[in-house]
Amino acid sequence: MRFHLCSRNVVKASASPRKPAEKGWLWTQSGGTIRNRLKEKNFRPKKSMGQNFMEDDSVIRDIVDYSGVHGSCIVVEVGPGTGAMTKQLVKSGARVYAVEKDDRLFRYLTNEPQDIEDDADLKETRGMAHAVSENLTVLHQDVLKVDLGKVARDARALYFPEGSNNDSERILLMGNLPYNITRDFLMKALPMGEEYSTLLLMLQHEVAVRLIENSPGSTDWRAMNIILQYYCDAKYVFRVDRFKYTPVPKVDGALVELQLKSKSERKPVPCEKDFISLVKRGFLQKRKMLSNALRPTLEGPEIQECLKQCGLPVDARAQSLSLDEFVALSWAIHEYQKA
């Protein structure tokens, strides 16, 4: 199971990739050993932060193998947690720029841990990037608050100084997302196709299945399906048994690959922000006719006229429309408002 996601957007260095420093806890511990060590340090995952750590080494190797990362890749890893996947990524030779919110795990990732539950104030380190090794830097920050574009630019500048790479090349973003931030993270990351080539993410199995749904009119057809198709090409890669995580969640996980589209690759719309707003408003009451659901953008008869121009029935509902039909509707509304 090998597919080189990095191969289509390789960032080439002028010199040979630097070898990772294979010393310290990150290199000597397996996933299970890391778990035991955290237990010894009285580390308790926070339910409020959705912390369920993937620490089965065989699954982690499958994920890294699927990504195809190598010495010419930059990987931004969100939520490195215990560092189990981080280790495999760095071992591959990839340059890893990780973003970790949890104070305790930031301490664990960047230092030989003494007392991981130490209440020492780490406010002064938030927003700061700490170099752990030549191929690993950890940024202490909430991924929902950080500027992902700046993270990509900082990682590129760090690992490939000016003149040593093609600035147009994009970066791979990977992570085992806390399930409770999936939607917010996707809405933040999906438009980043100019900086990132692919999102390779661990999600809830049920969420992953719904996201990949591509049949308008089905019960699982939602605004997020339209938005996802607009910003990327999505693929369900494989399912992961819930007992591969610690603590054990209530549902299985899944690896999902989202190949992001650059602005030039997306379907043209009058205004991207307005298009996303149109889709969201349409699905607020997805079984309601669009002529009612889209008020007060236009009045009912005006929306019906726009629907007719798109070859759609006047009683059309959001749940029955495809991406192409929403795009056509956005243009019809735009032209009607201009007239």
Side-chain angles (χ1 to χ4, degrees):
M1 181 172 56
R2 191 169 188 82
F3 180 80
H4 290 280
L5 298 182
C6 279
S7 62
R8 26 183 222 107
N9 291 293
V10 173
V11 181
K12 297 180 180 179
S14 58
S16 299
R18 293 170 290 181
K19 292 183 179 180
E22 300 189 6
K23 295 180 181 180
W25 67 268
L26 190 62
W27 301 100
T28 59
Q29 310 297 317
S30 67
T33 307
I34 290 174
R35 182 177 64 252
N36 293 336
R37 193 172 188 190
L38 289 175
K39 187 175 181 180
E40 291 171 3
K41 294 293 180 180
N42 295 316
F43 176 84
R44 296 178 181 85
K46 291 183 177 179
K47 188 175 181 179
S48 63
M49 295 180 71
Q51 290 179 334
N52 299 93
F53 303 118
M54 163 53 61
E55 292 179 334
D56 184 292
D57 288 330
S58 63
V59 175
I60 292 168
R61 283 193 295 270
D62 283 345
I63 295 171
V64 174
D65 185 61
Y66 181 85
S67 75
V69 295
H70 48 73
S72 293
C73 288
I74 296 176
V75 178
V76 169
E77 184 187 8
V78 296
T82 62
M85 184 178 294
T86 311
K87 176 182 72 173
Q88 297 297 334
L89 289 170
V90 177
K91 273 191 171 183
S92 74
R95 325 299 175 87
V96 181
Y97 198 96
V99 183
E100 178 55 56
K101 174 183 178 180
D102 191 303
D103 293 351
R104 304 164 303 163
L105 291 173
F106 174 78
R107 183 186 293 115
Y108 184 80
L109 289 164
T110 56
N111 299 284
E112 183 69 26
Q114 298 300 320
D115 184 357
I116 200 167
E117 291 288 356
D118 187 352
D119 290 330
D121 190 1
L122 288 182
K123 287 183 180 179
E124 69 278 4
T125 68
R126 288 172 193 152
M128 295 177 62
H130 181 96
V132 178
S133 69
E134 286 186 320
N135 280 33
L136 174 61
T137 296
V138 183
L139 173 65
H140 188 197
Q141 186 58 279
D142 182 347
V143 73
L144 293 182
K145 295 179 180 179
V146 75
D147 181 341
L148 288 176
K150 185 176 185 301
V151 167
R153 294 188 293 273
D154 288 348
R156 186 179 289 111
L158 173 67
Y159 292 125
F160 296 95
E162 186 177 354
S164 66
N165 76 291
N166 184 342
D167 286 339
S168 67
E169 300 293 355
R170 297 182 293 173
I171 292 170
L172 175 63
L173 190 152
M174 298 178 66
N176 178 24
L177 286 183
Y179 294 160
N180 58 3
I181 71 165
T182 298
R183 182 181 177 83
D184 290 342
F185 177 78
L186 287 176
M187 291 306 300
K188 184 182 181 74
L190 285 172
M192 301 301 300
E194 301 302 312
E195 298 288 354
Y196 298 92
S197 63
T198 307
L199 310 181
L200 197 58
L201 304 172
M202 293 295 297
L203 308 176
Q204 280 182 322
H205 163 70
E206 289 83 356
V207 170
V209 170
R210 287 200 300 268
L211 283 175
I212 307 303
E213 174 64 55
N214 60 5
S215 303
S218 72
T219 55
D220 283 334
W221 188 245
R222 309 172 188 217
M224 200 63 192
N225 297 106
I226 298 284
I227 294 169
L228 204 73
Q229 288 187 5
Y230 176 73
Y231 282 119
C232 73
D233 294 317
K235 178 182 178 181
Y236 184 107
V237 183
F238 58 74
R239 187 169 181 166
V240 179
D241 191 287
R242 66 192 184 97
F243 291 101
K244 301 293 185 180
Y245 295 85
T246 182
V248 179
K250 295 180 179 179
V251 295
D252 287 349
L255 181 67
V256 172
E257 174 195 339
L258 308 176
Q259 292 189 6
L260 299 187
K261 300 174 183 176
S262 65
K263 289 181 180 179
S264 63
E265 294 171 324
R266 299 170 197 159
K267 292 183 180 296
V269 293
C271 171
E272 189 171 294
K273 182 179 178 181
D274 289 346
F275 173 72
I276 299 301
S277 178
L278 172 69
V279 173
K280 287 181 176 179
R281 288 204 315 276
F283 275 89
L284 282 176
Q285 295 173 293
K286 62 183 180 181
R287 292 182 180 84
K288 196 171 185 179
M289 290 191 301
L290 285 169
S291 56
N292 293 321
L294 296 181
R295 291 177 178 174
T297 302
L298 293 174
E299 291 303 314
E302 297 170 325
I303 296 171
Q304 289 178 354
E305 181 60 32
C306 291
L307 289 166
K308 287 180 184 178
Q309 290 179 22
C310 301
L312 296 170
V314 295
D315 61 350
R317 291 164 171 77
Q319 194 174 17
S320 65
L321 267 62
S322 67
L323 170 62
D324 287 340
E325 289 168 333
F326 260 110
V327 168
L329 180 60
S330 73
W331 278 108
I333 292 174
H334 174 72
E335 294 300 324
Y336 193 94
Q337 291 174 326
K338 273 194 354 180

